[in-house]
Amino acid sequence: MSQPKDFGFGEDEKLLRDSARKFLSDTLPVDKLRKLVAGDHVEAYESAVQPLGYDENLWKQIVELGWTTLAIPEEAGGAGMKVVAVAAIAEEAGRAALPSPLIPTLIATAVLCEAKSAAASSALGRIAAGEAASIAITNAQGSWEPTDTDVVASQSGNETTLSGTASFVQDARKVSFFVVSAKNSSGIGLYVVDADAPGVTIRPDQIVDLTRDQARVEFKDVVIAADKVVATDGLEALRRATPSMLVIVAADLCGAAEWQLQTTAEYAKVRTQFDHPLGFFQAVKHPIVNAMIDIDRAKSLTYAAACEIDSEQATAEVAARMAKSAASDAAAFICSRSVQLHGGIGFTWECDVHIYFKRQKHNQMLYGDGIYQRSKLGEML
Amino acid sequence: MSQPKDFGFGEDEKLLRDSARKFLSDTLPVDKLRKLVAGDHVEAYESAVQPLGYDENLWKQIVELGWTTLAIPEEAGGAGMKVVAVAAIAEEAGRAALPSPLIPTLIATAVLCEAKSAAASSALGRIAAGEAASIAITNAQGSWEPTDTDVVASQSGNETTLSGTASFVQDARKVSFFVVSAKNSSGIGLYVVDADAPGVTIRPDQIVDLTRDQARVEFKDVVIAADKVVATDGLEALRRATPSMLVIVAADLCGAAEWQLQTTAEYAKVRTQFDHPLGFFQAVKHPIVNAMIDIDRAKSLTYAAACEIDSEQATAEVAARMAKSAASDAAAFICSRSVQLHGGIGFTWECDVHIYFKRQKHNQMLYGDGIYQRSKLGEML
Amino acid sequence: MARKDTPEQAEFREHCRRWLGENRPAPPAVRLPEMAIEVSTEDHMGYLSDWQNKCWEAGLVGSDYPKEYGGGGNHGFLRIANQEMSKAGTPFLINVIGLGMAAPTILHHGTEEQKRLYLKPLLAAEEIWCQGFSEPGAGSDLASAQTSAVRDGDNWIINGHKVWTSLATFSKWMILLARHSNDHKYNGLTYFVAPIADTPGVTVRPLIKITGGTGFNEVLFEDVVISDNMRLDEIGKGWTVAMTTLTHERGAAEGAGSGGGAGVEERIEGLVALAKKTPRGNGTAWDDPVLRDRIIQVAIRANGLRQTMRRGRVEGLIDHPMRLPLQGKVVMTELMQDAAAIGMEIAGAASSLYIRDENAPDQGDWPLGYMNSYGMTIAAGTSEVQRNILGERVLGLAKSK
Amino acid sequence: MARKDTPEQAEFREHCRRWLGENRPAPPAVRLPEMAIEVSTEDHMGYLSDWQNKCWEAGLVGSDYPKEYGGGGNHGFLRIANQEMSKAGTPFLINVIGLGMAAPTILHHGTEEQKRLYLKPLLAAEEIWCQGFSEPGAGSDLASAQTSAVRDGDNWIINGHKVWTSLATFSKWMILLARHSNDHKYNGLTYFVAPIADTPGVTVRPLIKITGGTGFNEVLFEDVVISDNMRLDEIGKGWTVAMTTLTHERGAAEGAGSGGGAGVEERIEGLVALAKKTPRGNGTAWDDPVLRDRIIQVAIRANGLRQTMRRGRVEGLIDHPMRLPLQGKVVMTELMQDAAAIGMEIAGAASSLYIRDENAPDQGDWPLGYMNSYGMTIAAGTSEVQRNILGERVLGLAKSK
């Protein structure tokens, strides 16, 4: 399929994006976000279990707006929209630093869509009905390779049971089920496990990022019903879903980076030192411009990769890894400059920049940072 | 041996260095250098054989001043000074972008000193008597590994003959003999070969750098007398000499980089644009400051490495590779900024900066650039 | 939203493809330089002006200019012609300063007579144009130009010294920024089209570049008399007219009709090819993960530039109208510079070998390209000035000067 | 030339070594923070002020200050004591602002009475000091301080808002830069030593850092009355006195008596150790050549910093007297920042885990250290201001502001 020049970003996608942006800026302006996630710094970092810091009511509205069902095929009850639309929504989530299970649900959707089984359709139906999900496919070492999992699926007659621990599970405390990868006799299987299923224990991590939660999820002889076996051989599905996973996180990175850029530029306009606005000084102006150039590169590559997935290009993985590499590096740079150029105030809890800084450092590493993506690209070029 | 805090850079070394600096600034100011190496740009790059562009008379004075015999042991007719003194002289050669066989002769001396044989002593005696020399140990691929050579030494009875080609031989047309590495039955041998010996053909390269010459040296059944066999097993000598080789080139890099720094800073003081001297603008000031920081790091590491060689530290190779890595990278950066910040004039042949730019790009790669040194360090740390 | 071809445009695109397919010229005896501004021999000049002339005759050059000035009288055809020439990989158009800078300026600021007089021979490459803005004392700060224009009846007397005038040795005309008054920095400037071939008092001298190559020139004016009808727009409007020129110059970095962005992707392909053919240890330089990481970094930047140009035409994905267009020049030229520097690192010892050395990797193109890259990061607004422009015009930061 | 110890100095060095060997304190129950300015609990404060007091009694603190002010009355002993404390790896000295900034300023600008009053308790850590320079509107541009000092007979009335006052919650005294006149930016400033513990009108409020930690404070002055004999030097000389303080602050970055440069080398060792213990593929992160190249780059910078400090004492190898000393702060703090960033890259997914997570690599020190590093690149003259200073004072470039 040839690629549309406009990345497939047409009127529908623009409308969706514009309304999402408006909704989030109306319902979650940054002062409300700060109260939500950073209102009490002691609680944020010192309590035994970090607070969830998210607004369930807002989440319900998001579900009603249909953001979680965008990419679900129409036959499974979704809107069947393109990855480019998913990317646009993820970008808005990043711009608002939205605390919610939206990103993991979009990623779980991408995996389930690739699995193409009755169990997958049924799980997609649950998402279409408003449930949130997260993938649980990472081992304790934090390997991003889909072959690496610490969970084992054992077969005994017709009964499948899962044992082991999935680590670095995103927003685990906000979702109702997990899509779990586990080693089985055919390789790597994919299984749907309810968060409240017997034998499942969610052990929250203490993390830096205030806008999400993360956990180790333990499985102790968790029985998997036959209709929750998404795939006995699920490696290919995971691999095919990888470009979408990367694009979704890259888009989140781009949206948040744009907020960081604009906020830093704005500060450079209003803050005066040595009788000039900060932006007068090239030591301030030029790094901000460099950040803008980085962000624009990442944004362009992200939409291009989304479009390659949509047009089923064989090179979609190359495009997506380029996008994630560019977005991770762009975020790392604007993180660094947004704090530095805000000076003393940028170093404080009361300034908003740290909320984005922390989300971005998390996103930067998630599913592999720039170095990792480029090492994968080296095998492909 | 413990290391002196002053790197062993005492009064004698300071006197030597100060007199060398004065001698070169008196006898080879930059306008004279320009006439010597870049006076006629057509000849420099378009004639069949590049002109040598060096002043034989100046070279004779340098020999008389004893710079080439600094590191030769007193018993072989030299001054027996420390590597830190050699580094100081190499730094001054770099500062003046001196076209001469000084650097290769200092490097050949380091190799011969490590070989510790009668033939080596005899060759050192020739250098002490005023001859210039260069090592010929690099293959056509430009490998910096001492095990890689395209020259083969064959033994037939008592007669040794060399065949093959040494590539990237520095200042080949300015020296009277080569120290050649060749594969033999014991591994890698080292041999002294006169530049005008039968069977030796010097094929000059056309190179970018205007301040030196480089050639492939072909050996066709070149007969080596027994008293010119420096070592039948010379690999260890080459390895032990490596830190000195690297320190000498690093010092040359530092000296030239300091010239580039000061020249660029000076231009930023006198050139006015937008009603301010260029240096007013942080887009000019800060890169120059960054270059200074890089250069100071390289300089400190170079003297530290020289001192480690002098105090026979086992870690001398680590120190020398750190120095060469830092010096190569510092040079690459100031090269880039010296041209860019000189603007239009920096892009012209008539501006002096290109002479140093080209010497530095050559030095940057010589015996391995920063990436190469760090990959070697990775094996050692 | 991406522009879609109208039926007329689609037909024209088809025409371009067919014509370019049928009329691709044989390569010249000696390899062409990378860019028009590097052309330095009569042979290349003849070859390339013939080619542009043919393209003009076929309607591929000047397609959007009015017919009465030698154009095709169409709309949105220029972009298509450029895209197709770029795709076809045919030689670049030689009158690059004329097409990219002089023609749009004349069209915008010229009198009817001036448009009739200058545009057609420019489009047809019958008359080559060069640019006279920079001076030894006025580089980034163009408005400090000191070349003087003194009114003398119906004439002006020009005295001064212009530098970096690419193509001046072949040019009949120069767009000239001169100072008629010292009372005001900006309003003291007036803009002319000056005849420089066989003109008494004009001396064109080649400037030698850092590479040893020519291509740039300096042009000296000593009591040169030019007629007042060679003045473009009003007296004192020189800076405004120059801004029109420079706006187009920046666009020209995207490569109007001259291969353009292709240079970047070719550079990256060349880099990968160099790494894969350069022996290193038991393998090649491509097997060195650190070098490979650097190569892939620039490959990502190159693809990013391509996708940014694509995004620049999708209205819904643009944050600010000038944000992407104003980036093109600095992003492309710094990318070319960094790519060439990495090429030298890959070549290692052999990066010392220059263009006439038979063993030089890629005929010495990496050190040559690296040195030439500084022409690109300095000319047409240094990277430093470009960053000021981006910070000020796009992000609204305070002016730095 | 490296300084050689005189016989007296050699003896003192021997004393330091012996004493430190015999008196190393047991570690406190809860791990100490990295730096004095991060101390936030009474326990740590008690432990550390006891330690400094012991060191002072043993002659290791204040050794170069005159005896009449509580010092040792020696010459060149301070450097030796600092070197030996650094080598011994004993706890840092808590009264870091006092020792590094207040004491030299008082010694240089104070009256005889002031010196007798303030120095001994400062050296003995009986009274902790903090610094009141920065304000919400005066960060890099310190001279724009607005905190006002209005003369009232023999007293001054202070009103204003100081920020970034490390150790303020434990401090008895603050060195205070205040404005007695709005007529002149620089000459309108006067310098005081202000009592801030239990002083009516003074409010100390902790500022929470990006890390969630405390350590910094803001101090509000509302009609606070201080005596004129707490003024340091003349009215209107505040900026000059502040320059004395800041000169010592920059030197303090080299780590007067508080472990100093050791922090950098430990950071690098920690980085290598982290890479070697972090599994990656079939090996460890250390086997990733790209990460290893980055680690070695910072290792080279760290060794470079150490060797530069060494070179800074070799007269024959110095190009300009201030060139190396003025680099220390920016080089060290940016190196620490970059090292911590690489640590996060090595940790990968696990870099998300923070200081109270049992699985966090190195107890979450990499994200914590990375965030804290911005305190270092911002405070005591941002990196941007440091580069101005280097360009202007060392290279003689035009002032940027």
Side-chain angles (χ1 to χ4, degrees):
Chain A
M1 211 199 287
S2 86
Q3 290 182 64
K5 284 181 190 161
D6 65 355
F7 307 104
F9 192 86
E11 279 308 313
D12 289 352
E13 289 73 17
K14 187 172 181 311
L15 264 171
L16 172 76
R17 195 271 318 271
D18 290 350
S19 67
R21 190 179 297 182
K22 184 168 182 332
F23 173 78
L24 287 173
S25 73
D26 287 350
T27 50
L28 194 68
V30 72
D31 55 333
K32 204 171 150 193
L33 172 72
R34 189 177 57 238
K35 271 183 215 126
L36 195 61
V37 303
D40 185 337
H41 91 281
V42 177
E43 222 182 85
Y45 282 148
E46 313 232 333
S47 57
V49 174
Q50 284 179 290
L52 272 188
Y54 96 114
D55 178 345
E56 279 217 54
N57 195 38
L58 172 62
W59 174 243
K60 278 182 195 146
Q61 288 176 266
I62 284 173
V63 168
E64 274 162 32
L65 285 167
W67 297 2
T68 56
T69 66
L70 283 179
I72 297 177
E74 293 181 29
E75 57 272 25
M81 285 187 78
K82 289 173 291 189
V83 175
V84 78
V86 176
I89 284 293
E91 188 185 343
E92 295 313 314
R95 192 189 309 274
L98 176 69
S100 85
L102 177 63
I103 299 291
T105 303
L106 292 173
I107 287 171
T109 300
V111 172
L112 291 168
C113 282
E114 291 294 349
K116 298 186 208 305
S117 65
S121 297
S122 149
L124 287 169
R126 289 174 66 180
I127 294 174
E131 291 187 49
S134 184
I135 57 172
I137 64 164
T138 307
N139 68 7
Q141 294 178 6
S143 163
W144 306 120
E145 301 297 328
T147 46
D148 291 338
T149 166
D150 293 335
V151 183
V152 173
S154 326
Q155 197 72 25
S156 161
N158 277 336
E159 201 176 83
T160 306
T161 54
L162 295 194
S163 289
T165 301
S167 300
F168 304 105
V169 180
Q170 302 303 302
D171 291 303
R173 287 190 281 156
K174 302 190 188 89
V175 302
S176 59
F177 69 89
F178 303 106
V179 180
V180 185
S181 73
K183 283 184 182 139
N184 63 21
S185 54
S186 327
I188 301 288
L190 287 174
Y191 308 90
V192 163
V193 181
D194 288 356
D196 58 4
V200 173
T201 311
I202 296 174
R203 300 198 183 279
D205 295 337
Q206 195 222 10
I207 63 170
V208 180
D209 186 2
L210 302 164
T211 65
R212 76 184 91 204
D213 75 277
Q214 182 178 277
R216 283 167 296 133
V217 180
E218 281 182 19
F219 304 96
K220 266 199 192 144
D221 301 324
V222 176
V223 179
I224 308 292
D227 64 352
K228 292 197 169 168
V229 178
V230 172
T232 48
D233 188 356
L235 199 55
E236 259 315 288
L238 281 176
R239 288 205 168 119
R240 282 196 308 270
T242 297
S244 292
M245 290 164 55
L246 295 172
V247 160
I248 289 165
V249 180
D252 188 301
L253 278 158
C254 288
E258 185 68 29
W259 183 94
Q260 294 176 298
L261 171 70
Q262 296 299 341
T263 303
T264 308
E266 194 52 37
Y267 188 72
K269 285 182 222 174
V270 300
R271 171 78 173 175
T272 294
Q273 291 278 277
F274 305 113
D275 308 319
H276 289 285
L278 284 189
F280 165 85
F281 299 102
Q282 291 172 326
V284 173
K285 175 182 287 166
H286 287 199
I288 295 178
V289 167
N290 289 341
M292 177 174 77
I293 289 172
D294 286 356
I295 291 166
D296 277 321
R297 174 186 307 126
K299 216 181 274 189
S300 304
L301 287 167
T302 298
Y303 281 92
C307 179
E308 291 219 6
I309 300 169
D310 284 324
S311 34
E312 294 174 38
Q313 298 288 316
T315 47
E317 186 181 343
V318 168
R321 292 203 186 278
M322 284 193 171
K324 180 62 166 63
S325 169
S328 284
D329 289 357
F333 185 68
I334 187 64
C335 276
S336 160
R337 291 310 89 188
S338 67
V339 174
Q340 178 72 22
L341 299 178
H342 272 79
I345 185 73
F347 191 60
T348 64
W349 189 267
E350 70 174 299
C351 179
D352 302 322
V353 297
H354 77 97
I355 300 171
Y356 281 81
F357 176 99
K358 291 165 183 175
R359 182 182 181 93
Q360 292 288 65
K361 295 310 282 184
H362 193 109
N363 274 337
Q364 180 190 339
M365 309 303 173
L366 195 60
Y367 309 126
D369 66 0
I371 294 177
Y372 176 81
Q373 303 304 340
R374 291 192 297 275
S375 81
K376 302 298 284 183
L377 284 166
E379 298 162 14
M380 289 183 256
L381 293 180
Chain B
M1 210 200 285
S2 86
Q3 290 182 62
K5 285 183 189 159
D6 65 355
F7 307 104
F9 191 86
E11 279 307 313
D12 290 352
E13 288 75 17
K14 186 170 181 315
L15 264 172
L16 172 76
R17 196 269 321 271
D18 290 350
S19 68
R21 188 178 298 182
K22 182 165 184 337
F23 173 77
L24 287 173
S25 73
D26 288 349
T27 51
L28 193 67
V30 71
D31 56 333
K32 206 173 149 191
L33 172 72
R34 190 176 57 240
K35 272 186 213 122
L36 196 60
V37 303
D40 184 336
H41 92 280
V42 177
E43 227 183 80
Y45 281 148
E46 312 230 335
S47 57
V49 175
Q50 284 180 290
L52 273 187
Y54 96 116
D55 178 344
E56 278 220 51
N57 195 39
L58 172 62
W59 174 243
K60 279 182 192 146
Q61 288 175 269
I62 284 172
V63 169
E64 272 162 33
L65 286 168
W67 297 0
T68 57
T69 66
L70 283 180
I72 298 176
E74 293 182 30
E75 57 272 27
M81 285 186 79
K82 290 173 290 190
V83 176
V84 77
V86 175
I89 284 293
E91 187 184 343
E92 295 313 315
R95 190 188 310 273
L98 176 68
S100 85
L102 177 64
I103 299 291
T105 302
L106 293 172
I107 287 171
T109 299
V111 173
L112 290 167
C113 283
E114 292 294 350
K116 299 186 207 306
S117 67
S121 296
S122 150
L124 287 169
R126 288 173 67 179
I127 294 174
E131 290 186 51
S134 185
I135 58 173
I137 64 163
T138 308
N139 69 5
Q141 294 178 4
S143 163
W144 306 120
E145 301 297 329
T147 46
D148 291 339
T149 166
D150 293 335
V151 183
V152 174
S154 328
Q155 196 73 23
S156 159
N158 277 334
E159 201 176 82
T160 306
T161 55
L162 294 194
S163 287
T165 301
S167 299
F168 305 104
V169 180
Q170 302 303 302
D171 292 303
R173 287 189 283 155
K174 302 191 187 88
V175 302
S176 60
F177 69 90
F178 303 106
V179 179
V180 184
S181 72
K183 284 183 181 140
N184 62 23
S185 53
S186 327
I188 300 287
L190 288 173
Y191 308 90
V192 163
V193 181
D194 287 357
D196 58 3
V200 173
T201 311
I202 297 173
R203 300 196 184 280
D205 295 337
Q206 196 223 8
I207 63 171
V208 180
D209 185 4
L210 301 164
T211 66
R212 76 184 92 203
D213 75 277
Q214 181 178 281
R216 283 166 297 133
V217 181
E218 281 181 20
F219 305 95
K220 265 199 192 141
D221 303 323
V222 176
V223 179
I224 308 294
D227 64 351
K228 292 195 168 167
V229 178
V230 171
T232 47
D233 188 354
L235 200 54
E236 259 315 289
L238 280 177
R239 288 204 168 121
R240 283 195 308 270
T242 296
S244 292
M245 289 164 55
L246 295 172
V247 160
I248 290 165
V249 181
D252 188 300
L253 279 158
C254 288
E258 184 68 27
W259 184 94
Q260 294 175 297
L261 171 71
Q262 296 299 342
T263 303
T264 308
E266 193 53 36
Y267 188 71
K269 286 182 221 172
V270 298
R271 170 79 172 175
T272 295
Q273 292 278 277
F274 305 111
D275 308 320
H276 290 285
L278 284 188
F280 165 85
F281 298 102
Q282 291 172 326
V284 173
K285 176 182 285 167
H286 288 198
I288 295 178
V289 166
N290 289 343
M292 178 174 77
I293 289 171
D294 287 355
I295 291 166
D296 278 320
R297 173 187 305 128
K299 216 181 274 190
S300 304
L301 287 168
T302 298
Y303 281 92
C307 178
E308 289 219 7
I309 301 169
D310 285 325
S311 36
E312 293 173 39
Q313 297 289 315
T315 47
E317 187 181 344
V318 168
R321 292 204 186 277
M322 284 192 171
K324 179 62 167 63
S325 170
S328 284
D329 289 357
F333 184 68
I334 186 64
C335 276
S336 161
R337 292 308 91 187
S338 67
V339 174
Q340 178 72 21
L341 299 178
H342 272 79
I345 185 71
F347 191 60
T348 64
W349 189 266
E350 71 175 295
C351 178
D352 301 323
V353 296
H354 76 97
I355 300 170
Y356 281 81
F357 176 100
K358 291 165 184 176
R359 183 183 180 93
Q360 293 288 67
K361 294 310 282 183
H362 193 110
N363 274 338
Q364 181 190 339
M365 309 301 172
L366 196 60
Y367 308 126
D369 66 2
I371 294 177
Y372 176 82
Q373 304 304 339
R374 292 191 297 274
S375 82
K376 303 297 284 184
L377 286 165
E379 298 162 14
M380 289 182 255
L381 291 181
Chain C
M1 303 259 291
R3 301 181 205 158
K4 273 203 176 157
D5 289 350
T6 62
E8 295 74 32
Q9 288 174 335
E11 195 182 321
F12 177 66
R13 190 185 289 283
E14 192 43 45
H15 161 69
C16 292
R17 282 186 194 165
R18 199 171 45 237
W19 188 86
L20 288 165
E22 289 164 6
N23 291 277
R24 175 189 305 275
V30 177
R31 195 173 68 135
L32 287 171
E34 274 179 45
M35 295 178 291
I37 57 167
E38 293 187 332
V39 168
S40 60
T41 69
E42 291 285 350
D43 281 358
H44 283 160
M45 181 48 71
Y47 174 90
L48 289 162
S49 49
D50 280 356
W51 169 245
Q52 181 176 333
N53 188 271
K54 267 198 189 141
C55 291
W56 171 73
E57 282 181 347
L60 273 68
V61 169
S63 12
D64 287 356
Y65 279 80
K67 284 193 178 170
E68 56 270 38
Y69 311 139
N74 302 295
H75 292 287
F77 276 30
L78 179 63
R79 179 179 55 87
I80 292 167
N82 287 343
Q83 286 170 350
E84 295 304 322
M85 283 189 274
S86 171
K87 263 190 227 162
T90 46
F92 47 73
L93 301 177
I94 182 63
N95 209 2
V96 60
I97 311 282
L99 292 168
M101 305 175 77
T105 309
I106 293 166
L107 189 70
H108 199 264
H109 296 276
T111 62
E112 182 63 24
E113 188 201 349
Q114 287 170 332
K115 291 186 223 178
R116 287 190 185 271
L117 204 57
Y118 300 124
L119 288 174
K120 184 250 164 185
L122 184 162
L123 298 172
E126 291 158 5
E127 296 176 357
I128 303 299
W129 285 68
C130 66
Q131 178 205 24
F133 282 17
S134 296
E135 300 181 6
S140 291
D141 186 12
L142 278 180
S144 67
Q146 293 304 320
T147 293
S148 67
V150 176
R151 188 70 184 249
D152 180 26
D154 280 349
N155 291 325
W156 294 83
I157 315 295
I158 311 291
N159 277 284
H161 183 182
K162 292 291 177 180
V163 290
W164 314 123
T165 49
S166 316
L167 295 171
T169 45
F170 301 107
S171 290
K172 177 152 187 191
W173 299 100
M174 170 190 277
I175 43 176
L176 173 70
L177 189 62
R179 178 163 299 286
H180 70 274
S181 158
N182 285 308
D183 292 348
H184 191 283
K185 184 168 178 179
Y186 295 92
N187 298 341
L189 294 168
T190 297
Y191 197 114
F192 300 89
V193 296
I196 63 159
D198 308 318
T199 307
V202 172
T203 311
V204 177
R205 274 204 301 247
L207 279 176
I208 303 159
K209 295 193 289 187
I210 184 174
T211 60
T214 52
F216 287 110
N217 304 276
E218 53 185 348
V219 180
L220 292 121
F221 291 83
E222 285 171 287
D223 295 327
V224 175
V225 180
I226 66 174
S227 155
D228 185 52
N229 59 25
M230 290 170 180
R231 173 168 50 76
L232 220 55
D233 216 315
E234 294 168 32
I235 296 170
K237 283 270 196 251
W239 186 247
T240 310
V241 184
M243 283 299 102
T244 301
T245 308
L246 292 178
T247 305
H248 286 88
E249 178 173 34
R250 275 179 212 112
E254 284 190 39
S258 58
V264 174
E265 307 211 20
E266 277 162 23
R267 204 67 172 157
I268 303 301
E269 283 166 23
L271 207 53
V272 174
L274 177 70
K276 287 185 174 173
K277 77 185 175 194
T278 301
R280 186 70 52 95
N282 296 321
T284 68
W286 181 251
D287 300 317
D288 178 333
V290 181
L291 278 175
R292 200 164 59 199
D293 185 73
R294 292 205 183 186
I295 296 167
I296 294 172
Q297 283 184 43
V298 289
I300 292 172
R301 285 164 61 191
N303 192 24
L305 178 59
R306 189 154 71 94
Q307 301 302 343
T308 286
M309 287 179 181
R310 180 178 170 195
R311 181 159 67 90
R313 293 189 283 268
V314 185
E315 190 235 321
L317 292 175
I318 295 171
D319 300 276
H320 178 288
M322 294 312 289
R323 181 164 157 174
L324 300 183
L326 286 176
Q327 282 178 33
K329 197 257 175 183
V330 65
V331 170
M332 187 193 77
T333 57
E334 292 188 344
L335 173 54
M336 292 291 270
Q337 190 160 88
D338 293 346
I342 295 169
M344 289 184 71
E345 289 175 333
I346 295 169
S351 70
S352 61
L353 304 177
Y354 206 36
I355 47 179
R356 289 170 209 284
D357 192 288
E358 57 182 0
N359 297 310
D362 297 327
Q363 295 82 50
D365 207 31
W366 298 100
L368 175 67
Y370 183 59
M371 290 191 279
N372 261 330
S373 75
Y374 288 93
M376 305 196 293
T377 55
I378 292 168
T382 63
S383 294
E384 291 78 8
V385 167
Q386 299 290 343
R387 288 192 166 83
N388 282 349
I389 292 172
L390 282 161
E392 292 157 18
R393 293 208 209 154
V394 177
L395 294 170
L397 302 175
K399 276 191 177 291
S400 286
K401 33 177 215 231
Chain D
M1 302 258 293
R3 302 183 205 156
K4 273 205 175 153
D5 288 351
T6 63
E8 294 75 31
Q9 288 174 335
E11 196 183 317
F12 177 68
R13 189 183 293 281
E14 193 41 45
H15 161 69
C16 292
R17 282 187 194 162
R18 200 172 42 239
W19 189 86
L20 287 165
E22 289 164 6
N23 291 278
R24 175 189 307 274
V30 177
R31 195 173 66 137
L32 287 170
E34 274 178 46
M35 294 179 291
I37 55 168
E38 294 187 332
V39 168
S40 59
T41 68
E42 291 286 349
D43 281 358
H44 283 159
M45 180 48 72
Y47 174 90
L48 288 162
S49 51
D50 279 356
W51 168 244
Q52 181 176 332
N53 188 272
K54 266 197 188 142
C55 291
W56 169 73
E57 281 181 346
L60 271 67
V61 169
S63 14
D64 287 356
Y65 279 78
K67 285 192 177 170
E68 56 270 38
Y69 310 139
N74 302 297
H75 291 287
F77 277 28
L78 178 62
R79 178 179 56 87
I80 291 167
N82 287 343
Q83 285 169 352
E84 295 305 320
M85 282 189 274
S86 171
K87 261 191 229 158
T90 44
F92 47 75
L93 302 177
I94 183 63
N95 208 1
V96 60
I97 311 280
L99 292 168
M101 304 173 76
T105 309
I106 292 166
L107 189 70
H108 198 263
H109 297 276
T111 61
E112 183 63 24
E113 188 200 349
Q114 288 171 330
K115 291 185 225 179
R116 286 190 187 272
L117 204 56
Y118 301 124
L119 287 174
K120 184 249 166 185
L122 184 162
L123 298 172
E126 292 157 6
E127 295 175 356
I128 303 299
W129 285 67
C130 66
Q131 178 205 21
F133 282 16
S134 295
E135 299 180 7
S140 290
D141 185 11
L142 279 180
S144 66
Q146 293 304 320
T147 293
S148 67
V150 176
R151 188 71 185 247
D152 179 27
D154 279 349
N155 292 325
W156 294 84
I157 314 296
I158 311 291
N159 277 285
H161 183 180
K162 293 291 179 181
V163 290
W164 314 122
T165 48
S166 316
L167 296 171
T169 44
F170 302 106
S171 290
K172 176 149 189 195
W173 299 99
M174 170 190 277
I175 44 176
L176 172 70
L177 190 61
R179 179 163 299 285
H180 70 275
S181 157
N182 285 308
D183 293 347
H184 190 283
K185 183 168 179 178
Y186 295 93
N187 297 341
L189 294 168
T190 297
Y191 198 114
F192 300 90
V193 296
I196 63 162
D198 308 317
T199 307
V202 171
T203 311
V204 176
R205 272 205 301 249
L207 278 176
I208 303 160
K209 295 193 289 185
I210 183 174
T211 59
T214 52
F216 287 110
N217 304 277
E218 52 185 349
V219 180
L220 291 119
F221 292 84
E222 284 170 286
D223 295 328
V224 175
V225 180
I226 65 174
S227 153
D228 185 53
N229 61 24
M230 290 170 180
R231 171 168 52 76
L232 219 56
D233 215 317
E234 294 169 32
I235 296 169
K237 282 272 198 257
W239 186 248
T240 310
V241 184
M243 284 300 100
T244 301
T245 308
L246 292 178
T247 305
H248 286 88
E249 178 173 32
R250 273 177 213 113
E254 283 190 41
S258 59
V264 174
E265 308 210 20
E266 277 162 22
R267 204 69 173 151
I268 303 301
E269 282 166 23
L271 207 53
V272 174
L274 177 70
K276 286 185 173 173
K277 77 186 174 194
T278 301
R280 186 72 52 95
N282 296 321
T284 68
W286 181 252
D287 300 317
D288 177 335
V290 181
L291 278 176
R292 199 164 59 199
D293 184 73
R294 290 204 185 187
I295 296 168
I296 293 173
Q297 282 184 44
V298 289
I300 292 172
R301 284 163 62 189
N303 192 23
L305 178 59
R306 189 155 70 95
Q307 300 302 342
T308 286
M309 287 178 179
R310 179 177 171 195
R311 181 159 69 88
R313 293 189 281 267
V314 185
E315 189 234 323
L317 292 175
I318 295 172
D319 299 276
H320 178 288
M322 293 314 287
R323 180 164 158 174
L324 301 184
L326 286 176
Q327 280 176 35
K329 197 257 175 185
V330 64
V331 169
M332 188 193 76
T333 56
E334 292 189 344
L335 174 54
M336 292 291 270
Q337 189 160 89
D338 293 345
I342 295 169
M344 289 183 71
E345 288 175 334
I346 295 169
S351 69
S352 60
L353 305 176
Y354 206 35
I355 47 180
R356 289 171 209 284
D357 193 286
E358 59 181 359
N359 296 309
D362 296 328
Q363 294 82 49
D365 207 31
W366 299 100
L368 175 68
Y370 184 58
M371 290 190 281
N372 261 330
S373 75
Y374 288 93
M376 304 197 293
T377 55
I378 291 167
T382 63
S383 294
E384 290 78 8
V385 167
Q386 299 290 344
R387 287 191 167 83
N388 281 350
I389 292 171
L390 282 162
E392 292 157 19
R393 293 210 210 153
V394 176
L395 294 169
L397 302 177
K399 275 192 178 290
S400 286
K401 27 172 225 234

